[in-house]
């Protein structure tokens, strides 16, 4: 009996010390184990929710076609996604070698200084031409990289004069871009695809269905491509943005020289109106929960 009382007393003392140490550690077989002595204990309620393991996507469309996302008008809050096309076609290597700039480091620096999350739709050829920049963008949690094809050739006929991808090569062109991102060491690649020129049809949606991507278009055309008047582009964006909008801009100095100035004007103006900037994945996820 004395031994039993001694064991009970020692157990009670152990429980009391454990309670003092961790605040709420259980003293039974079903209780949680105390934290590692070298770690700072945090109440469970204060731990951030685990991030989703996969970016949200849309379910396949009718007849299993690739789904298309343009905006999230029913998403809660005044959110907007700025997207930037890093365009470079497969046959523009000679122009880049001669000094033409298909990149835009000042634009990326502006987004960082303004703390604006963004989605960069990158061609595989762009990633091959600027692998260090592609890695830098992909490594920054502020951004996510999405697929804009390898070649930037059109997936339909008569698309702004672009060369066309043969129907039997459409999926391969998209997968080649993903391979180029991997070869360049690009992180934060999401399973979203933007058609070059925004041109697509039912045949293209059917061809890309096995690639399991969500096609992402836009609801606001910035007009920055080949524009020289930053003020006009800024006004067009501000006039077009609504809650849940996806804005298309460009990340190429040669083809869109005003975009950095547009971003520096648009961002504070929209924030003054109560808008919050998100990546496409966040906007798409919010649309799915609405």
């Amino acid at each position: 009996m004395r031994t039993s009382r001694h064991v009970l007393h020692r157990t009670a003392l152990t429980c009391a010390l454990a309670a003092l140490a961790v605040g709420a550690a259980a003293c039974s077989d079903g209780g949680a184990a105390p934290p590692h002595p070298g770690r700072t204990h945090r109440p469970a309620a204060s731990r951030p929710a685990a991030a989703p393991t996969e970016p949200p996507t849309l379910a396949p469309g009718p007849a299993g076609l690739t789904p298309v996302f343009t905006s999230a008008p029913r998403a809660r809050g005044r959110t907007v996604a700025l997207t930037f096309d890093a365009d470079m076609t497969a046959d523009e290597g000679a122009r880049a070698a001669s000094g033409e700039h298909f990149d835009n480091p000042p634009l990326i620096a502006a987004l960082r200084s303004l703390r604006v999350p963004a989605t960069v739709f990158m061609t595989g050829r762009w990633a091959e031409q600027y692998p260090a920049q592609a890695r830098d963008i992909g490594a920054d949690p502020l951004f996510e990289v999405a697929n804009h094809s390898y070649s930037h050739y059109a997936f339909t006929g008569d698309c702004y004069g672009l060369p066309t991808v043969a129907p039997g090569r459409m999926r391969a062109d998209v997968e080649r871009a993903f391979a180029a991102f991997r070869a360049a060491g690009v992180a934060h690649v999401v399973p979203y695809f933007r058609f070059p020129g925004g041109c697509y049809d039912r045949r293209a949606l059917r061809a890309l269905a096995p690639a399991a991507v969500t096609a992402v278009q836009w609801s606001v055309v910035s007009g920055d491509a080949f524009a020289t008047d930053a003020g006009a582009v800024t006004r067009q964006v501000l006039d077009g943005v609504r809650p849940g909008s996806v804005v298309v801009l460009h990340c190429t100095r040669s083809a869109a020289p005003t975009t950095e100035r547009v971003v520096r004007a648009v961002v504070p103006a929209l924030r003054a109106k109560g808008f919050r900037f998100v990546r496409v994945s966040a906007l798409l996820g919010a649309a799915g929960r609405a």
Side-chain angles (χ1 to χ4, degrees):
M1 181 68 67
R2 179 178 178 183
T3 301
S4 299
R5 285 198 300 269
H6 177 71
V7 169
L8 290 174
H9 176 73
R10 185 173 60 186
T11 301
L13 179 60
T14 301
C15 287
L17 291 173
L20 289 172
V22 301
C27 233
S28 66
D29 290 342
H36 189 282
R39 296 173 187 163
T40 302
H41 176 68
R42 293 182 182 180
S46 69
R47 293 173 184 160
T53 56
E54 296 292 337
T57 56
L58 295 182
L65 299 181
T66 298
V68 181
F69 177 74
T70 57
S71 65
R74 292 183 296 171
R76 297 177 181 177
R78 296 170 70 82
T79 54
V80 58
L82 298 186
T83 68
F84 299 86
D85 291 358
D87 296 344
M88 185 174 178
T89 62
D91 57 359
E92 289 178 331
R95 290 167 55 181
S98 67
E100 184 170 348
H101 293 287
F102 296 93
D103 61 342
N104 197 339
L107 169 63
I108 299 301
L111 292 168
R112 284 172 169 152
S113 68
L114 293 166
R115 301 301 301 163
V116 178
T119 304
V120 179
F121 286 86
M122 189 181 294
T123 68
R125 184 65 189 87
W126 196 99
E128 289 179 347
Q129 186 68 36
Y130 305 106
Q133 291 187 52
R135 284 194 301 274
D136 183 56
I137 292 169
D140 192 332
L142 197 63
F143 307 126
E144 60 190 8
V145 173
N147 195 314
H148 195 31
S149 80
Y150 174 82
S151 63
H152 202 255
Y153 289 175
F155 283 56
T156 65
D158 192 24
C159 181
Y160 303 102
L162 291 172
T164 58
V165 179
R169 297 293 303 166
M170 291 179 179
R171 177 185 176 187
D173 191 83
V174 172
E175 291 177 343
R176 186 179 179 186
F178 282 127
F181 300 154
R182 290 192 296 271
V186 181
H188 298 307
V189 179
V190 289
Y192 308 147
F193 175 73
R194 174 165 287 166
F195 287 97
C199 303
Y200 69 94
D201 55 18
R202 188 177 182 87
R203 181 178 63 179
L205 295 178
R206 184 182 303 110
L208 295 190
V213 294
T214 294
V216 176
Q217 297 297 94
W218 53 80
S219 56
V220 179
V221 178
S222 68
D224 67 334
F226 307 106
T228 57
D229 186 344
V233 177
T234 298
R235 289 189 295 273
Q236 184 158 316
V237 173
L238 295 178
D239 289 346
V241 165
R242 302 290 183 272
S245 288
V246 176
V247 183
V248 58
L249 298 120
H250 291 81
C251 188
T252 47
R253 276 182 286 177
S254 60
T258 66
T259 308
E260 180 201 347
R261 284 177 286 158
V262 170
V263 164
R264 291 190 180 278
V266 162
V267 168
L270 286 177
R271 281 177 171 159
K273 295 180 179 181
F275 279 93
R276 181 170 59 89
F277 296 94
V278 298
R279 293 175 291 272
V280 165
S281 57
L283 196 62
L284 208 158
R289 294 190 299 269

